[in-house]
Amino acid sequence: MSTLLTVINIVVLLAIIIGLYAMQKKHISFSKRVFIGLGVGILLGLVLQYIYGTKSDVLKATIDWYNIVGKGYVKLLQMIVMPLVFISIVSAFTKMKLTNNIGKISTLIIGLLVGTTAVAAAIGIASTLAFNLDGAQFQQGEAETARIGQVEQRLGDIQSMTLPQKVLELLPANPFLDLTGDRATSTIAVVIFAAFIGIAYLGVKKKTPEHAELFAKIVDAFHAIIMRVVTIILRLTPYGVLAIMTRVAATSDYNAIWQLGKFVVASYVALAIMFIVHLLLLAFAGLNPITYVKKAFPVLTFAFTSRTSAGALPLNVKTQTQDLGVPEGIANFAGSFGLSIGQNGCAGTYPAMLAVMVAPLAGIDPLSPSFILTLIAVVALSSFGVAGVGGGATFAALLVLSTMNLPIAIVGLLISVEPLIDMGRTALNVSGSMTAGVLTSKATKDLDTNTFNDTKPQSVTVS
């Protein structure tokens, strides 16, 4: 009987997937299909949990099969991340507009990413204090106990390292190993390696331009192929989001979420305020923030539903160049650096909130100016090397909490609301990198304001 029920559940998912595919054939917009997949996934998950219950063997078997679509989609995104980051950075150097401004552009982008992360940390601290959140109030169940064990194991290597050693971990001793994504800091290591390749290209271009020209053509060809692979994977987004949200809705402990509701609300308040800060920065630069919201919405929607900053990279760059008027080189830099440096949500707001929540458990006054200033500085420095696909926020939190000598068990206690909060954090990460790209190109006077102000966005579809 249980096998029959599992088969029925699989057929239901397949029927919904066919429906989404039919919508694609009718040219219904990519954003609408993603949102439909999100909504139907939540509804299906709630129905499955209501019928079977979270402990049911039928539900476990059903989710196992659903994971082929959901986790399979995430694995495909992970597959393309490192090649995409590498080729995006190298191709940025082969674009002529970057040649004379590389140092200035890199400094501006990194400065904006790290600076906004420091602001995000301050906002996270303020939100935590305003909502009077206390880490001692959270309850520990079986899932939380298991997660805490995993967190403590992951912390082992991090805790024994000094800050200089953590900085050294960012460097690519073996770039081919980092291209596999083997280390938590692999993303930024690949960025650094690609930057060295790009700088070498500029040197060769001056001495033997014919070799540089050949290399640039090869890079352009690889970039075109990689971007095509990305497009193929992105077409699967509505189906992946459907399966992922079904799993989340079907297996979530809603009692635990209810108990942690205050933390969820405080988190989204902090994320929303930080997003407003992005809009204010654009307004101060003389750009219309409403125009930015309209054009960035499809990318932020994708980031929100897929929970992967890295997966959003191609749409991120495409929107910056085609809709916001950012030169391709700057867009590639901002998008790629944004995967590793200064993620406002995962590396800024979240670790700061956790640190304030557990500070009293370590006998520290979270209102102490010295504690707050130290925490903001540690968060900003620790924001280097945060992974762009899943687990980045956990890694950032572990870095901050261990550096501040604070209890790390809080990371495991929030397992039940992680997916819910991670959606907002990821969208903010992507908005931060796009804002950095727009502001940098405005500062260097490379921004095409006519394209930015054009009311008809060009990159809302994945084709």
Side-chain angles (χ1 to χ4, degrees), residues 175-191:
F176 298 102
L177 177 68
D178 286 318
L179 283 167
T180 68
D182 183 71
R183 303 185 302 144
T185 55
S186 282
T187 307
I188 193 169
V190 169
V191 169

Side-chain angles (χ1 to χ4, degrees), residues 203-254:
V204 171
K205 187 177 180 182
K206 291 179 181 178
K207 295 181 179 179
T208 52
E210 66 277 9
H211 291 160
E213 184 180 354
L214 175 60
F215 179 78
K217 288 181 178 179
I218 293 172
V219 168
D220 286 345
F222 270 105
H223 187 263
I225 296 296
I226 293 296
M227 291 305 292
R228 190 60 190 171
V229 172
V230 167
T231 299
I232 293 170
I233 296 172
L234 288 181
R235 286 177 174 174
L236 303 175
T237 300
Y239 317 116
V241 167
L242 165 69
I244 290 168
M245 294 311 301
T246 300
R247 174 174 57 81
V248 170
T251 58
S252 292
D253 184 345
Y254 292 101

Side-chain angles (χ1 to χ4, degrees), residues 161-173 183 185:
M161 295 169 61
T162 64
L163 185 58
Q165 288 173 334
K166 291 174 184 176
V167 172
L168 282 174
E169 276 295 300
L170 304 178
L171 300 178
R183 303 185 302 144
T185 55

Side-chain angles (χ1 to χ4, degrees), residues 52-73:
Y52 302 110
T54 55
K55 304 295 183 182
S56 165
D57 290 337
V58 174
L59 183 62
K60 290 178 181 177
T62 298
I63 296 303
D64 238 9
W65 283 98
Y66 283 17
N67 281 341
I68 294 176
V69 179
K71 289 189 175 181
Y73 166 71

Side-chain angles (χ1 to χ4, degrees), residues 69-322:
V69 179
K71 289 189 175 181
Y73 166 71
V74 173
K75 281 183 176 291
L76 290 175
L77 286 173
Q78 291 171 329
M79 172 189 75
I80 200 63
V81 166
M82 291 307 175
L84 180 60
V85 169
F86 176 78
I87 204 67
S88 294
I89 292 293
V90 175
S91 66
F93 279 89
T94 62
K95 305 300 177 183
M96 292 300 293
K97 287 186 179 181
L98 274 181
T99 305
N100 299 320
N101 293 315
I102 290 172
K104 183 178 180 181
I105 288 168
S106 301
T107 302
L108 281 171
I109 290 173
I110 293 173
L112 284 166
L113 290 171
V114 175
T116 52
T117 298
V119 174
I123 291 171
I125 292 169
S127 181
T128 306
L129 294 173
F131 280 85
N132 195 28
L133 296 177
D134 184 357
Q137 297 174 348
F138 298 150
Q139 298 180 2
Q140 183 172 328
E142 291 181 9
E144 287 77 14
T145 302
R147 177 64 179 273
I148 289 170
Q150 295 172 0
V151 167
E152 288 176 341
Q153 184 177 3
R154 188 173 183 182
L155 181 65
D157 294 335
I158 299 173
Q159 207 166 30
S160 61
M161 295 169 61
T162 64
L163 185 58
Q165 288 173 334
K166 291 174 184 176
V167 172
L168 282 174
E169 276 295 300
L170 304 178
L171 300 178
N174 184 344
F176 298 102
L177 177 68
D178 286 318
L179 283 167
T180 68
D182 183 71
R183 303 185 302 144
T185 55
S186 282
T187 307
I188 193 169
V190 169
V191 169
I192 292 170
F193 176 60
F196 270 100
I197 296 291
I199 292 169
Y201 160 80
L202 295 178
V204 171
K205 187 177 180 182
K206 291 179 181 178
K207 295 181 179 179
T208 52
E210 66 277 9
H211 291 160
E213 184 180 354
L214 175 60
F215 179 78
K217 288 181 178 179
I218 293 172
V219 168
D220 286 345
F222 270 105
H223 187 263
I225 296 296
I226 293 296
M227 291 305 292
R228 190 60 190 171
V229 172
V230 167
T231 299
I232 293 170
I233 296 172
L234 288 181
R235 286 177 174 174
L236 303 175
T237 300
Y239 317 116
V241 167
L242 165 69
I244 290 168
M245 294 311 301
T246 300
R247 174 174 57 81
V248 170
T251 58
S252 292
D253 184 345
Y254 292 101
N255 289 327
I257 293 176
W258 179 258
Q259 292 173 0
L260 295 173
K262 194 176 177 182
F263 175 72
V264 174
V265 173
S267 296
Y268 270 93
V269 166
L271 295 174
I273 292 173
M274 189 59 213
F275 181 67
I276 292 171
V277 170
H278 291 168
L279 301 184
L280 289 174
L281 289 173
L282 292 169
F284 290 149
L287 300 170
N288 189 333
I290 303 302
T291 301
Y292 169 80
V293 172
K294 289 179 180 178
K295 293 186 174 184
F297 185 72
V299 190
L300 301 183
T301 299
F302 172 80
F304 184 86
T305 51
S306 66
R307 295 170 52 203
T308 163
S309 303
L313 179 60
L315 279 179
N316 180 337
V317 172
K318 203 173 183 184
T319 300
Q320 285 190 62
T321 54
Q322 294 186 12

